[in-house]
Amino acid sequence: MDPQYCSNHPPPIPEYTCKEHYYESGRLSSPNYWRALCPKLHICDGVYGAEKLKKFLPSSELLDNVKKSAYSSGYFCLPSSEIPWSVNLQDIAESVVLLMQYGYPPTFIAMYDEIWVMLNDISDFIESVSHTRPNVDFVTFYVNPDLDQAGFLPHRDRCMDNPEETFFDDGAPKYSTVWIPLTDACTDNSCLCVIPKQHDPGYMNNSTRFVDPYGLQNIKVLPCEAGSVIWMSHRIVHWGTAGTKGYHTPRIAIACGFASEDFEPPYFDIDTQLPFPDFDIRLSFVGGQALLYSCRFSFTTEELKLWDTLFSKKKEAFQKDYVAQVERKYSSALSKIRKREAKKNQTDPVQVLNDEDEEERLQPYPEHILIEQQGCWGLYKDGLTGQRFWLHKTLNITGWYPPSGWIHNEFLADFNLEDIPQALHRHQQMQSDFAQRQQRILEREAKKGHLGVEISWK
């Protein structure tokens, strides 16, 4: 691994590490602190910003070719040779690693002017392709193949009940993602793969199928050089490959969402804050994004609380739906940590099950959305994958949210309405199986002198 890309190396100024500020975020509120962390980059530098504000204006021929690919296939890849970036991409990539060495998530690179220069470079170009502006759903990726890391699993960026209504009349999507590698992305360090629109049976409907089993040869692998631009509609299925252990360079990339305001409003007021958001907005924003994507990281309780402290400083400046989403993710992340700690420290397995049920009363799965209710059955949609499934209200808990642990995993099923009789039979069998398991646990714990706590079924 190239030394400048090793995130586990000690930072140049150890006393500036994130862990030194869990309970005191005042130092983080100074631009000079962030300048010291990444001396090659700029922060709130008006002179630098004025020099770098340029726009990428493609030729009409290039724009026509890009639109054709975007509308027919749902994605396009523009090589780095076509983009005259106004920034030094290697300096940004190395600074991402520096931030990680100091203990910050890679998305904190959005503290620096260079990221907003890049967004300014391509904003007009993306608007000419899809009629959309930045909604600033920004995230940075660091995939180290030496640590057996891989990119995200196959997914669509946005799932909804009426995908056909999320496109403009000319076929342009109302939401898209721009993905830009800061280091060369290849199959050895995790490049992107996509299923083109024309080979995806679920692209324009609610199907959860990603690809016909006989159509796997239609998957497109997209290795590209640093500075290339991969654009994807919100409906394109995409993922990152697993890397090859021993490969010398990690895959570092940034991504940002673009949307029409009627589909998804920007997270903050881009008319007043772009091209260069105020320092306080940036600090709150990176805290919010760290919480929004907390499921992708193993944050500690102290880290989560610090990100929340940063976000809360200017929370009122952000769009209300975004604030609610961040707060749900924060609550969910804290709940998961509590569950892990309880399992690690708990000696009574029955009490662990009971504790998890109590947690579920307080914190349901935020990604699961109830669509309709049929008696004791609820039809849910997973907000991340778009998958639909029926669940029976099986535990004596408040609400219609699926319980956690083995019960949720074993009872999850793709039921249709006509399958309810068979599903009810399975439910009865599940009741019997659970009762037998519970009895065995109680008997075993009784021999040890422990008191069990019953979990009732309805």
Side-chain angles (χ1 to χ4, degrees), residues 428-439:
Q428 294 169 355
Q429 186 62 46
M430 288 280 295
Q431 283 181 302
S432 176
D433 291 345
F434 181 80
Q436 294 176 25
R437 292 190 196 190
Q438 183 187 15
Q439 186 61 35

Side-chain angles (χ1 to χ4, degrees), residues 215-257:
L216 294 176
Q217 289 177 309
N218 294 311
I219 291 174
K220 302 300 181 185
V221 183
L222 305 176
C224 54
E225 296 180 345
S228 301
V229 170
I230 295 179
W231 176 97
M232 299 169 287
S233 89
H234 61 307
R235 297 296 297 165
I236 201 79
V237 176
H238 61 286
W239 64 95
T241 62
T244 301
K245 200 171 184 65
Y247 190 72
H248 53 79
T249 305
R251 186 256 277 170
I252 305 174
I254 62 173
C256 186

